[in-house]
Amino acid sequence: MARDGNTLKWAWKRLNATVLNDIWLELWFFSTVALAVCLINQYTEVNFTISNQLLTVLGTVLGLVISFRTTSAYDRFWEGRKLWGTIGLASRNLGMVIWIHVPLVRKPKAGEPAADAKLKAIIERKSMMNLVQAFSVSVKHYLRSEPGIYYEDLYPLLSFLPQNVHGEATPAGASTPDEKAADDTSHSLPIWLNSDHSTMKASRKSKHRHRNFNPEKVLPDVQSSVPLRPARNPPKDTIYDILPFLIIFKPIQSLVKWMLGRVKSDQDGTRNFWGKRKGPPPIDSNVPLEITLFLSSYFNMLQTAGLLTPAIATAFNNALVSMQDALTNLERIRTTPIPFAYQAHLRMSVWLYLLFLPVEIYTAFKWLTIPCTAFAAFLYLGFLEIGHEIEDPFNYDENDLDLDHFCLQIQRELAEITAHPAPDPHSYIFSQWNQPFAPSDRRSAEQIVADREEQGMTDEDAITEIRKTLLKSYQEIHEATLNTKRAKFSGL
């Protein structure tokens, strides 16, 4: 079943992708309540039942409200996916503009050898392509509340950026680009100030989803004096993920650790009252904004130098605007949760409904009250938990958006763009392999031009023959591609 052969790990991941792992304790609780109601009515003289007239009304209202809650959460999930599609599209467009439309032939600067101008232009374009790639990676870390740039998949793409207000990439005397970043911050740019160097852990193996999968190995090999965090930093699973109610013993655990002189767990404060993991809080580190500022300054340099035509300049600017617009909307989703009062009131209403459900249906179902209550709890609580899980779809849960996949896809596409040699179209259009007027004329483009020269045809005569050929091609294509049987049935 599992690709790595570890069936238990695969089964655990599939279980985490469902809501059973989150609601099983509540299912047991309401099933126990239903059992207690059955025992009281069956073995005592107490008639522990009430009329079920209220059941239909409350059930319908709760169903509609839960449906609205789940739909609202899925709208946030789907909007996040569309915005990441926008980032991918804008990255491709900007990459093509930079790689194809930014000219290589330029006037050399004063004192610069003319032979180096073209080479430096290629290096310049590829460096800017790395910034385009870094934008999506920085958005991923930003949405996951992971501040700074010191990550294995981000720092290698940004290490060459200027570090201070003087435009210096590497401070004087530093062996690495960031050696003095943690000590001298008086003139450092914001992009280098967003990481808490004192709390960073040493670099450890990245937590990739598949074994032997390490996409960071293809990034630039740049040394960093600050330990780089892995590209993926999912929270570690603990006993509280399996048994959330044990969170009530967390203060005792922390007290014991303090008495033994051990450092508190990194998971402190990451869970709510019910023992479920809370989403990380928003951060002030806006690395994506810093990257767009550098791309904008590059755009300004190209315009000032007159290297962009108005149409290409518009395309460049539109791509930047699309990236910033997508970032702003992703920030809106990330920093605007569903109001707590709405969530709390809805959950309490569902609990009260499930608590009184066995008392109302016992008269009709007897011992079947227990499985009926469990099934109702599974439906109502399951949809509530699904809505809670997907309303913030940028974390590491199994049902969240796969941001790492999106970033790697953008990386592959940008690499494909840079691999394109952008040759002169005449070098491949007028070749023996191109048959532009098939099926009626299967001569190659090279042969068509040669025949025209041999026959001494004028341009008007050649164009007239081509128009006749295109008309004949239309008739042949129409007859070959029309499904007569399908057309016959569609006319019935």
Side-chain angles (χ1 to χ4, degrees):
M1 293 182 184
R3 294 181 179 179
D4 58 1
N6 193 336
T7 305
L8 291 178
K9 183 178 179 181
W10 177 87
W12 175 247
K13 290 180 65 176
R14 297 285 76 76
L15 179 62
N16 282 335
T18 68
V19 294
L20 287 175
N21 192 42
D22 298 309
I23 65 173
W24 70 268
L25 184 62
E26 293 169 287
L27 293 181
W28 276 109
F29 172 76
F30 289 112
S31 298
T32 303
V33 172
L35 174 62
V37 171
C38 291
L39 292 176
I40 292 174
N41 285 281
Q42 190 72 21
Y43 297 106
T44 67
E45 297 181 356
V46 178
N47 183 19
F48 193 35
T49 60
I50 59 178
S51 175
N52 61 1
Q53 293 181 357
L54 193 61
L55 179 67
T56 304
V57 177
L58 292 181
T60 302
V61 173
L62 278 179
L64 292 174
V65 175
I66 292 176
S67 175
F68 174 75
R69 168 72 174 89
T70 308
T71 302
S72 300
Y74 185 76
D75 287 342
R76 295 162 61 91
F77 178 91
W78 183 240
E79 185 179 4
R81 178 62 186 92
K82 291 192 295 184
L83 292 172
W84 268 98
T86 300
I87 291 178
L89 176 61
S91 299
R92 287 195 296 268
N93 291 339
L94 186 55
M96 287 188 287
V97 168
I98 293 175
W99 192 251
I100 296 177
H101 296 284
V102 174
L104 292 177
V105 181
R106 310 177 187 179
K107 292 182 179 180
K109 297 181 180 180
E112 180 183 67
D116 294 342
K118 191 171 183 179
L119 176 60
K120 289 186 175 181
I122 294 178
I123 295 175
E124 170 196 294
R125 296 196 308 185
K126 185 58 175 70
S127 301
M128 291 300 107
M129 294 285 286
N130 288 345
L131 282 188
V132 176
Q133 175 185 338
F135 177 82
S136 60
V137 179
S138 64
V139 171
K140 175 191 72 172
H141 289 294
Y142 177 69
L143 295 176
R144 289 174 172 173
S145 296
E146 297 168 348
I149 66 172
Y150 293 98
Y151 300 93
E152 293 176 353
D153 60 343
L154 182 59
Y155 177 77
L157 300 172
L158 302 177
S159 58
F160 66 93
L161 292 179
Q163 193 173 105
N164 52 45
V165 295
H166 306 294
E168 299 176 355
T170 305
S175 59
T176 60
D178 55 358
E179 186 172 318
K180 295 183 179 180
D183 301 324
D184 183 15
T185 60
S186 58
H187 299 93
S188 296
L189 295 178
I191 193 173
W192 299 95
L193 299 176
N194 289 326
S195 299
D196 187 356
H197 305 276
S198 62
T199 60
M200 282 195 171
K201 296 182 178 180
S203 178
R204 62 185 188 279
K205 186 177 179 181
S206 295
K207 298 182 179 180
H208 295 297
R209 293 185 175 182
H210 306 293
R211 189 177 299 175
N212 300 325
F213 181 69
N214 183 24
E216 286 76 46
K217 65 182 180 181
V218 299
L219 296 177
D221 187 9
V222 182
Q223 298 299 320
S224 171
S225 61
V226 177
L228 299 183
R229 292 179 176 179
R232 284 177 51 84
N233 296 275
K236 184 179 180 181
D237 291 331
T238 65
I239 188 63
Y240 306 111
D241 294 298
I242 306 174
L243 303 172
F245 65 91
L246 292 181
I247 194 67
I248 61 177
F249 300 105
K250 191 66 179 290
I252 301 177
Q253 178 191 12
S254 300
L255 179 62
V256 172
K257 285 186 176 183
W258 178 77
M259 294 176 64
L260 295 177
R262 296 175 59 185
V263 180
K264 287 188 177 182
S265 170
D266 290 332
Q267 298 296 327
D268 289 348
T270 62
R271 297 180 182 275
N272 59 20
F273 177 78
W274 307 103
K276 297 179 180 179
R277 185 180 286 119
K278 297 187 294 186
I283 57 175
D284 295 330
S285 171
N286 201 332
V287 177
L289 175 61
E290 296 286 329
I291 294 175
T292 57
L293 289 176
F294 283 106
L295 289 172
S296 296
S297 65
Y298 177 62
F299 174 52
N300 179 67
M301 184 274 293
L302 294 175
Q303 277 194 307
T304 303
L307 298 176
L308 296 179
T309 64
I312 299 304
T314 300
F316 197 120
N317 182 69
N318 289 343
L320 280 177
V321 170
S322 296
M323 294 167 69
Q324 293 172 340
D325 181 68
L327 172 62
T328 302
N329 285 291
L330 288 171
E331 286 178 325
R332 171 175 52 81
I333 297 174
R334 176 67 182 87
T335 59
T336 312
I338 302 295
F340 174 77
Y342 178 81
Q343 296 189 61
H345 186 78
L346 179 57
R347 186 169 291 273
M348 288 188 293
S349 299
V350 171
W351 284 346
L352 290 174
Y353 175 81
L354 294 174
L355 193 63
F356 287 102
L357 180 63
V359 183
E360 298 184 46
I361 67 175
Y362 175 78
T363 303
F365 292 97
K366 302 301 180 182
W367 288 103
L368 289 177
T369 299
I370 300 174
C372 290
T373 302
F375 181 68
F378 171 77
L379 290 180
Y380 283 96
L381 296 174
F383 282 117
L384 270 184
E385 196 62 35
I386 290 172
H388 175 73
E389 184 169 328
I390 67 175
E391 70 177 353
D392 182 11
F394 307 123
N395 297 315
Y396 292 99
D397 294 332
E398 292 295 330
N399 292 311
D400 286 337
L401 294 172
D402 194 348
L403 306 189
D404 298 279
H405 169 72
F406 300 154
C407 293
L408 294 178
Q409 184 178 20
I410 293 174
Q411 178 182 355
R412 290 192 299 269
E413 292 170 348
L414 293 177
E416 184 176 354
I417 292 173
T418 56
H420 183 68
D424 184 357
H426 285 74
S427 64
Y428 53 85
I429 291 178
F430 297 98
S431 68
Q432 58 178 335
W433 309 111
N434 181 27
Q435 298 180 3
F437 302 118
S440 60
D441 187 353
R442 298 192 180 274
R443 293 178 299 169
S444 65
E446 183 181 39
Q447 186 178 359
I448 292 174
V449 175
D451 291 345
R452 181 253 184 187
E453 294 177 353
E454 289 180 4
Q455 297 173 7
M457 299 175 61
T458 63
D459 285 343
E460 291 296 330
D461 293 337
I463 293 175
T464 301
E465 290 298 323
I466 289 175
R467 288 174 178 171
K468 293 179 181 179
T469 301
L470 292 175
L471 179 59
K472 186 178 179 181
S473 294
Y474 159 73
Q475 294 171 349
E476 293 183 18
I477 292 173
H478 182 76
E479 293 176 359
T481 58
L482 181 62
N483 191 333
T484 55
K485 292 185 178 180
R486 183 175 180 180
K488 185 182 297 183
F489 282 109
S490 63
L492 292 178

